[in-house]
């Protein structure tokens, strides 16, 4: 449940901040007439994300067991790839996200209503589709038939909406760089578990060999139905009897990805190269973006 709460919070807050920046900019520039197209784009993005999740859930029920496992395993790998790209991308662009969105919105205002709808849709839709896919794969990995993963994701999204509203009203300041670093690191750990479980699904579908070759079995020490076994599974997708392939894939993904993401220099932080003033966040508007100083209507 916690891992899905984290997914909902992280993705939801990204979308909330994007909407907040777009709305605040339109209000400040006296373009309240453009608010309806922006909200329309947001609504379309949300509906498409919900429809995508609906198709994943109910469309897969008509498949055979092996086909379901193959689909679940394949989508788990896709979800991990998307989430990994997302955490690195946000880590590098959090400083100048505000300026980037303002530029896109200025261009959309010049092009008309359709462009405004498309701008809001694209800004929010990516997070919505990623959330739907990652939550679905996480629920599929849980496999206990309980609504807890969905409740966790819903609570995370609700928290994100509340934080976004407080941010817009000026009641909250968030250091975006630190927030996305910590939540990104935790999501990498969650993604490693989803990836390992996806590989297990592919093994059950006979797409990947080694289903019977167990790396270890601690089921007697950590029973899957115990409270701590359930907690480990819910947070990290922990499996007490993983295969050798699962453990190998988990280590090969987690160690280099987490090390690169938390590195003080290089690709993860965007340092180690000459930057323009805008990228470094030295201008007043960029510093406010990094520290998430709330815009006021």
């Amino acid at each position: 449940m916690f891992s899905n709460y984290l997914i909902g919070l992280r993705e939801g807050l990204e979308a909330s901040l994007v909407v907040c920046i777009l709305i605040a900019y339109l209000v400040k520039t006296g373009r309240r007439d453009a608010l309806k197209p922006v909200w329309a784009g947001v609504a379309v993005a949300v509906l498409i994300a919900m429809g995508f999740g609906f198709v994943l859930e109910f469309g897969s029920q008509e498949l055979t067991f092996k086909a379901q496992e193959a689909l679940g395993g394949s989508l788990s790998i896709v979800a991990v790839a998307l989430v990994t790209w997302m955490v690195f991308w946000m880590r590098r662009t959090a400083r100048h996200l505000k300026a980037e969105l303002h530029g896109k919105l200025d261009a959309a205002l010049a092009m008309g209503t359709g462009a405004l709808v498309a701008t809001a849709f694209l800004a929010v839709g990516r997070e919505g589709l990623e959330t739907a896919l990652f939550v679905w794969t996480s629920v599929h990995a849980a496999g206990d038939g309980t609504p807890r993963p969905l409740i966790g994701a819903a609570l995370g999204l609700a928290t994100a909406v509340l934080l976004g509203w407080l941010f817009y009203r000026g009641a909250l300041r968030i250091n975006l760089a630190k927030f996305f670093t910590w939540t990104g690191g935790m999501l990498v750990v969650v993604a490693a578990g989803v990836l390992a479980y996806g590989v297990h699904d592919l093994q059950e579908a006979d797409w990947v060999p080694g289903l019977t070759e167990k790396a270890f079995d601690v089921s007697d020490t950590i029973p899957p139905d115990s409270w701590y076994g359930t907690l480990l599974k819910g947070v990290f997708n922990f499996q007490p009897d993983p295969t050798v392939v699962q453990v190998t894939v988990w280590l090969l993904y987690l160690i280099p990805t987490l090390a690169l993401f938390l590195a003080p220099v290089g690709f993860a932080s965007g340092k180690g190269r000459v930057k323009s003033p805008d990228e470094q966040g030295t201008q007043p508007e960029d510093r406010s973006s990094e520290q998430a100083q709330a815009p006021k209507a």
Side-chain angles (χ1 to χ4, degrees), residues 3 12 18 26 56 65-66 71 83 90 99 102 105 110 123 132 134 140 159 214 222 248 254 256 291:
S3 62
V18 167
L26 290 175
L56 287 175
F65 172 76
K66 286 192 174 183
L71 176 64
V83 168
M90 183 53 71
H102 285 179
L105 194 54
F134 204 59
H140 178 77
T159 304
K214 302 296 183 181
I222 308 178
T248 302
L254 180 64
Q291 297 296 327

Side-chain angles (χ1 to χ4, degrees), residues 87-96 177 181 257-273 275 279-280 290:
V87 296
F88 277 99
W89 178 83
M90 183 53 71
R91 177 79 185 278
R92 300 190 70 189
T93 59
R95 290 177 180 267
H96 48 89
T181 297
T257 304
L258 198 58
L260 184 60
F261 181 76
L262 298 177
V265 294
F267 176 75
S269 62
K271 297 180 181 178
R273 59 185 176 89
K275 296 182 179 182
E279 288 180 309
Q280 289 174 326
E290 179 182 2

Side-chain angles (χ1 to χ4, degrees), residues 187 207 210 240 246:
L187 269 185
W207 282 26
Q246 279 184 275

Side-chain angles (χ1 to χ4, degrees), residues 51-128:
F52 180 56
F54 182 87
V55 170
L56 287 175
E57 175 61 24
F58 294 99
S60 62
Q61 293 181 1
E62 303 299 324
L63 302 175
T64 64
F65 172 76
K66 286 192 174 183
Q68 287 182 5
E69 297 303 294
L71 176 64
S74 301
L75 290 180
S76 294
I77 294 173
V78 172
V80 169
L82 288 174
V83 168
T84 304
W85 173 83
M86 177 268 296
V87 296
F88 277 99
W89 178 83
M90 183 53 71
R91 177 79 185 278
R92 300 190 70 189
T93 59
R95 290 177 180 267
H96 48 89
L97 177 63
K98 183 178 179 181
E100 181 180 327
L101 287 173
H102 285 179
K104 291 181 178 179
L105 194 54
D106 283 334
L109 285 169
M111 295 176 64
T113 302
L116 284 172
V117 174
T119 299
F121 169 76
L122 293 174
V124 177
R126 178 175 58 86
E127 279 80 9

Side-chain angles (χ1 to χ4, degrees), residues 144-177:
D144 56 4
T146 67
R148 284 178 296 179
L150 292 178
I151 293 174
L155 290 175
L157 290 171
T159 304
V161 171
L162 175 61
L163 291 176
W165 180 79
L166 292 174
F167 171 72
Y168 178 78
R169 301 305 302 176
L172 182 66
R173 292 185 179 184
I174 303 172
N175 187 313
L176 294 183

